[in-house]
Amino acid sequence: MNKKKFIIISGPIGCGKSTLAQFLQALTGFKIYDENIDNHPLIQNFYKDMKKHAYELQIFLLGRRNSDHLTIANSKEGAIQVRPIYEDYSIFAPYLHNIGAISDEEYEKYKTVFRIYAEKLPNPDLLCYLRTSPNVIRERIRARNLLYEGDLLKQDNTYLDDMHRYYERFFDGYDLGKKIAINTDNLDFKEDRRCIYDLVEPILEEIGIFKK
């Protein structure tokens, strides 16, 4: 089963994007394009000091996601991209600009680069948004205990709450193709692998691979 389809998976840290992508790959044979930058110095520096490293990180990710998107477009294989370029443009860049981590000049440069890239990018077949509440994300961050994510748990840090609002707005406004939102608050992919099948079925149904 490897019809040429392009699925993008979106959602905040700790929502289960990579786990879902792996299950979809096992059922479809689609290739995964995952950001996988948890240990990259840029992401670690960003969480320590967002304002200092925000623009550098966003430009790096914009180029990387554009490259992956073009590779998918030119491939004959089905693909699953974890965190699409549209997520950066609609969520992270405007958020960082709004809090002053990216200057007006940097933001205009960023948007110009995105528009140049976007003109050549074909639309995905499906956006899959893993909706997860901020408090659940906090619990999962505590459980995985990554040092560089520790600041996100501080009482005065509103980043996760802000991200939730931006993700909701992104999903509501997304109009490049089909979309599906899945609430993951009560799902534990690691402890109960059976629950993942309940997620995968509607996704495959949306792109016409599985039909009841």
Side-chain angles (χ1 to χ4, degrees), residues 44-115:
Q44 296 185 28
N45 290 337
F46 169 73
Y47 281 127
K48 291 176 183 176
D49 190 339
M50 289 186 183
K51 291 188 176 182
K52 183 176 180 181
H53 300 284
Y55 182 67
E56 179 184 19
L57 176 63
Q58 289 308 301
I59 287 295
F60 166 76
L61 291 175
L62 192 67
R64 177 164 176 161
R65 306 222 204 281
N66 177 68
S67 177
D68 283 348
H69 198 128
L70 289 175
T71 299
I72 292 167
N74 294 322
S75 172
K76 295 180 180 180
E77 295 182 307
I80 303 159
Q81 186 179 27
V82 178
R83 287 206 192 279
I85 193 171
Y86 311 108
E87 183 176 321
D88 286 299
Y89 179 75
S90 301
I91 297 173
F92 295 104
Y95 166 76
L96 292 167
H97 174 246
N98 286 341
I99 66 171
I102 292 178
S103 69
D104 291 345
E105 182 180 358
E106 289 171 334
Y107 191 44
E108 289 305 315
K109 289 179 181 177
Y110 177 92
K111 290 191 292 184
T112 298
V113 173
F114 171 81
R115 285 192 288 267

Side-chain angles (χ1 to χ4, degrees), residues 191-210:
E191 296 299 325
D192 183 9
R193 293 284 173 154
R194 294 172 300 176
C195 72
I196 201 77
Y197 291 104
D198 294 331
L199 301 185
V200 169
E201 185 176 308
I203 294 171
L204 298 183
E205 206 171 341
E206 281 289 340
I207 59 175
I209 289 181
F210 172 83

